[in-house]
Amino acid sequence: MAIKYGVSLSLLVIHIVLSLLFSSHHFAKADNEIGKSLITTTCNHTEFPDVCISTLESDPRSSSADLTNLSRIALELAITEANETKAEAFKLVNNASSYESWGIRLACYDGFNSSVYQLEESLQYFDQLKYNESNRIVDLFNGGLNYCINLGVVELSARITFLRKFTTDIVAILHLLF
């Protein structure tokens, strides 16, 4: 009886060891992925994979990036979009039709201006390999994105909606690094 049990136990141990080896090989392969397959694999871990994939694929550097560089590219793309949104907010201030509208749009612009600075600061933390701090700042930026919409600046809603989705995805991507 002891021999039968020993053989079964040996087979179980072999099965476990082989499973671990194959799963380790799979994870090692995923860590070494680059290009379109890495973008798809990474973005499938996010809340808005379509936004993530299309945005990252729009940057030619993504096709040869590993996960760390892909994360940096995502941050840079978010900063670029945030700066473009800030520029649009400034245009809205200059084109306000009333003092009340001007005040609301100016508050929106000021809020966005300071938020973009924080988002740019997240890139500095990223470069210092402080991914968790970079992640925290992107998450804070994302949390404040509705400010302009809540003020009633609906002209920025499409841009802000995109930024909210993409920065939500960036938080998930950065989380993969730590």
Side-chain angles (χ1 to χ4, degrees):
M1 184 80 87
I3 293 175
K4 284 185 180 179
Y5 187 71
V7 171
S8 296
L9 184 61
S10 296
L11 288 174
L12 180 63
V13 169
I14 289 171
H15 176 71
I16 291 171
V17 169
L18 287 175
S19 295
L20 289 172
L21 284 174
F22 286 124
S23 66
S24 296
H25 173 71
H26 173 73
F27 289 127
K29 185 178 177 187
D31 286 343
N32 293 326
E33 277 186 278
I34 59 170
K36 196 167 188 163
S37 64
L38 176 64
I39 293 170
T40 303
T41 301
T42 302
C43 290
N44 282 336
H45 288 79
T46 67
E47 190 173 338
F48 305 101
D50 293 343
V51 170
C52 180
I53 291 168
S54 65
T55 305
L56 288 173
E57 285 183 347
S58 73
D59 190 305
R61 299 174 298 164
S62 298
S63 64
S64 61
D66 60 9
L67 181 59
T68 304
N69 289 324
L70 193 64
S71 302
R72 190 176 202 294
I73 291 166
L75 276 172
E76 290 173 357
L77 291 171
I79 291 167
T80 298
E81 181 65 28
N83 276 314
E84 289 173 2
T85 303
K86 181 178 79 172
E88 284 299 312
F90 187 72
K91 287 179 189 175
L92 291 173
V93 170
N94 288 333
N95 296 324
S97 58
S98 68
Y99 183 75
E100 180 183 3
S101 175
W102 177 83
I104 290 169
R105 290 174 176 192
L106 183 60
C108 169
Y109 170 76
D110 285 342
F112 222 89
N113 191 34
S114 60
S115 295
V116 171
Y117 173 77
Q118 288 176 333
L119 194 58
E120 290 169 343
E121 189 177 41
S122 74
L123 193 56
Q124 294 171 6
Y125 284 111
F126 183 90
D127 290 340
Q128 295 169 5
L129 307 180
K130 297 178 181 177
Y131 303 131
N132 58 339
E133 187 62 17
S134 181
N135 187 308
R136 186 186 68 77
I137 291 171
V138 174
D139 198 32
L140 284 173
F141 173 82
N142 191 10
L145 280 172
N146 282 332
Y147 180 67
C148 290
I149 293 173
N150 292 340
L151 286 173
V153 184
V154 294
E155 296 89 346
L156 296 176
S157 62
R159 287 179 168 275
I160 289 171
T161 299
F162 167 78
L163 261 172
R164 188 175 343 111
K165 287 179 179 180
F166 190 52
T167 54
T168 297
D169 291 346
I170 292 172
V171 168
I173 293 169
L174 287 172
H175 190 73
L176 296 173
L177 296 176
F178 59 92

